[in-house]
Amino acid sequence: MSPSPSALRPSLSPDATIDDDIDLLAGLIGRSLRPPAARNAAASLIDAFGGLAGVAAADEAALRRGGLAKAAVADLGRVRALGIAMAREEACQRPVLSSWSALVAYLRAALAHAPREQFRTLYLDKRNILIRAEWRADGTVDHAPVYPREVVRRALELSACALILVHNHPSGDPTPSRADIDMTRKIIDAARVFDIEVHDHVIVGREGTKSLRALGLM
């Protein structure tokens, strides 16, 4: 009896996946390093930042402390920006509420491995097409200050009809905190005055995403 196709397909071990990630990163940073040194540096970075995604999301100062030359840091930044732009383009092709999986993929690419908390606002038109995705605040490892009046003021400038609020939890756990819930309700109240709808507040972490609307918290 002939073996099944799945029996003929080699299994991919975790070690093989890590080796692939090391080879990929070594190729990206190898412009200023010889191949053996590039691979050693790539392995060290993946170990230090917890994986390839962590390396891609790390800021310039952290990568330089990890031993990367300025040119290699710049190359990594361009690759990451390209990946985020591709995900954003996919999310922008249709109304975001009917292409939620594409939106979540974009948000995870942009924020899941960010080392500090960031707050962003997605501004939507009357068809729920994304007008602009904007950074609103940068913070520490667990807090980004957000001012509801600034969120709403920018919505009025853009003639936005709806908002989606987004921020990340660098801890990895996307479970909303009491402060997240309270801040969301303040923005909802401020936006309601101008007939601007807040569709959702999405929290992004390495472990996944949480929607405050899906959780019944708004």
Side-chain angles (χ1 to χ4, degrees), residues 59-166:
D59 61 24
E60 179 176 352
L63 291 171
R64 293 298 298 272
R65 287 195 299 270
L68 277 191
K70 186 174 182 178
V73 172
D75 289 343
L76 277 179
R78 294 186 189 98
V79 171
R80 180 171 182 267
L82 176 61
I84 293 173
M86 292 170 64
R88 183 178 63 243
E89 182 176 345
E90 178 68 19
C92 290
Q93 289 179 350
R94 301 177 297 279
V96 296
L97 298 184
S98 62
S99 55
W100 195 252
S101 60
L103 177 68
V104 170
Y106 160 53
L107 298 178
R108 284 186 58 80
L111 289 171
H113 293 271
R116 288 181 296 277
E117 190 164 310
Q118 298 179 32
F119 184 92
R120 301 188 185 191
T121 306
L122 310 185
Y123 296 96
L124 313 177
D125 67 13
K126 63 182 178 180
R127 298 174 298 156
N128 288 318
I129 299 291
L130 185 63
I131 300 172
R132 189 80 65 88
E134 288 193 347
W135 165 90
R136 298 299 329 157
D138 239 342
T140 61
V141 294
D142 61 359
H143 176 68
V146 179
Y147 301 99
R149 66 181 179 273
E150 294 299 322
V151 173
V152 175
R153 180 187 61 79
R154 185 58 173 151
L156 294 172
E157 289 178 350
L158 295 170
S159 298
C161 295
L163 311 172
I164 295 176
L165 312 174
V166 184

Side-chain angles (χ1 to χ4, degrees), residues 18 33 71 218:
I18 292 171
L33 295 170
M218 57 179 291

Side-chain angles (χ1 to χ4, degrees), residues 22-31 38 42:
I22 292 172
D23 289 339
L24 176 60
L25 183 56
L28 291 173
I29 66 176
R31 183 163 59 145

